[in-house]
Amino acid sequence: MRVAVVTGASRGIGKACAKRLAADGDIVVINYSHSEEQAQAVLDDIRENGGDGMLFRADVSKLDEVKAMMRATIQAYSQIDILVNNAGIVKDAYLLMLDPKNLDYCMDVNVKGYFYCAQQATLKMFRKKKGVIINMSSVSAQMALAGQSVYSATKGAVNAMTKTMAKELAPYGIRVNAIAPGFIETEMIDALSDEMRAEYLKSIPLGRFGKAEEVASLVSLLCSDRMAYMTGQTLVLDGGLSL
Ligand code: NAP
């Protein structure tokens, strides 16, 4: 049995990852920061399908809350085998309109939050000398989308941290990889106007947005021993958008 902590699992990609890992037989810790009802619905769904896990409310940008989450996971299940660093936010703004508060907020959640969770989960993974960390990045790290300089910078940081963490943690049996999705049908892209959606669709060679379940399939594969020799990589999953 493996224990997986999935951050930002109350909806979207995180929810799909939690459900997929539970279907793979993993116990899942469903993290959220505000959406308790949605997170509970994810756990109920997992239980109805024969899986198990628990909810944990923690703002990943707060180190003490992340520590409490990892501690509670160890108290409940005695181990952490998988961390999916997924909780992320987007606050698009053109450079000249940048609000310093939003800049801090994005850095705190999308960058510091990933470090805090990776550090605290790793401390628990050391016991077994085995573990997997998946960092949710974005194709925005390598493609320039106007208004996304902050978001793309945070995701560039995720790609860079993934490589270095992978090198540091390999001797301890911990693999670290990132996934860079393109446009995935979640609430994060619901904010797009119909015009923008149509425009973006034209630029995707496969002609559609991706599904959260497709990202979850890749998470599942990267967590499996079939990928035991893969570490430090960022895998792009974007229907060809970045080609
Ligand atoms: P989403 O639908 O907006 O869901 C975000 C999740 O993160 C929610 O469960 C939210 O829970 C949680 N969250 C936000 N701030 C948090 C915090 N401080 N602490 C803990 N949880 C927090 O987003 P998504 O589209 O599934 O995206 C998930 C990840 O994939 C993000 O890292 C995003 O950058 C990346 N991504 C998404 C796309 C896309 O097209 N959707 C493309 C590329 C990359 P609460 O409501 O409880 O806060």
Side-chain angles (χ1 to χ4, degrees):
M1 182 205 68
R2 302 182 305 186
V3 176
V5 176
V6 182
T7 68
S10 56
R11 58 173 189 270
I13 293 172
K15 168 182 167 177
C17 293
K19 287 171 65 173
R20 176 58 201 253
L21 291 173
D24 290 346
D26 301 329
I27 299 278
V28 185
V29 177
I30 297 158
N31 160 256
Y32 65 99
S33 66
H34 291 103
S35 314
E36 181 162 5
E37 248 176 63
Q38 284 175 282
Q40 183 64 52
V42 177
L43 182 57
D44 292 346
D45 187 306
I46 285 173
R47 287 189 172 145
E48 272 161 29
N49 286 288
D52 204 4
M54 68 178 201
L55 301 185
F56 202 92
R57 198 214 69 77
D59 178 341
V60 295
S61 69
K62 308 245 165 65
L63 180 57
D64 53 339
E65 295 186 20
V66 170
K67 281 183 179 173
M69 174 165 68
M70 301 305 175
R71 240 188 346 255
T73 304
I74 291 295
Q75 270 161 12
Y77 306 118
S78 309
Q79 66 196 66
I80 296 175
D81 305 280
I82 294 167
L83 167 69
V84 183
N85 248 338
N86 166 80
I89 54 163
V90 59
K91 296 271 172 207
D92 287 353
Y94 291 109
L95 179 64
L96 298 181
M97 318 277 272
L98 203 61
D99 175 346
K101 272 194 214 133
N102 282 341
L103 174 59
D104 281 345
Y105 185 36
C106 287
M107 291 293 178
D108 285 351
V109 177
N110 295 4
V111 181
K112 288 191 199 168
Y114 279 42
F115 276 114
Y116 293 156
C117 291
Q119 182 195 52
Q120 295 304 312
T122 294
L123 285 168
K124 315 297 182 197
M125 288 172 181
F126 278 153
R127 298 174 182 199
K128 269 185 142 183
K129 280 213 157 210
K130 194 170 181 190
V132 178
I133 298 174
I134 312 283
N135 292 325
M136 207 53 72
S137 178
S138 168
V139 81
S140 298
Q142 66 198 71
M143 287 183 72
L145 283 179
Q148 288 216 319
S149 57
V150 172
Y151 182 71
S152 64
T154 65
K155 295 305 187 179
V158 169
N159 295 353
M161 75 171 76
T162 297
K163 288 189 203 177
T164 311
M165 285 179 189
K167 203 164 193 176
E168 282 183 21
L169 299 177
Y172 303 97
I174 300 169
R175 296 186 295 110
V176 188
N177 289 291
I179 298 176
F183 291 108
I184 306 297
E185 292 277 10
T186 70
E187 283 180 30
M188 191 173 265
I189 65 164
D190 280 352
L192 295 176
S193 67
D194 288 348
E195 257 178 15
M196 282 172 87
R197 285 175 79 92
E199 199 52 43
Y200 287 142
L201 269 179
K202 276 194 245 160
S203 59
I204 304 172
L206 285 181
R208 64 173 178 85
F209 295 128
K211 299 187 181 87
E213 291 72 21
E214 291 172 316
V215 182
S217 291
L218 186 51
V219 167
S220 165
L221 180 63
L222 282 171
C223 290
S224 85
D225 285 342
R226 283 176 293 160
M227 284 298 202
Y229 202 50
M230 168 82 76
T231 198
Q233 303 305 308
T234 297
L235 303 179
V236 175
L237 188 73
D238 68 350
L241 174 69
S242 57
L243 298 175

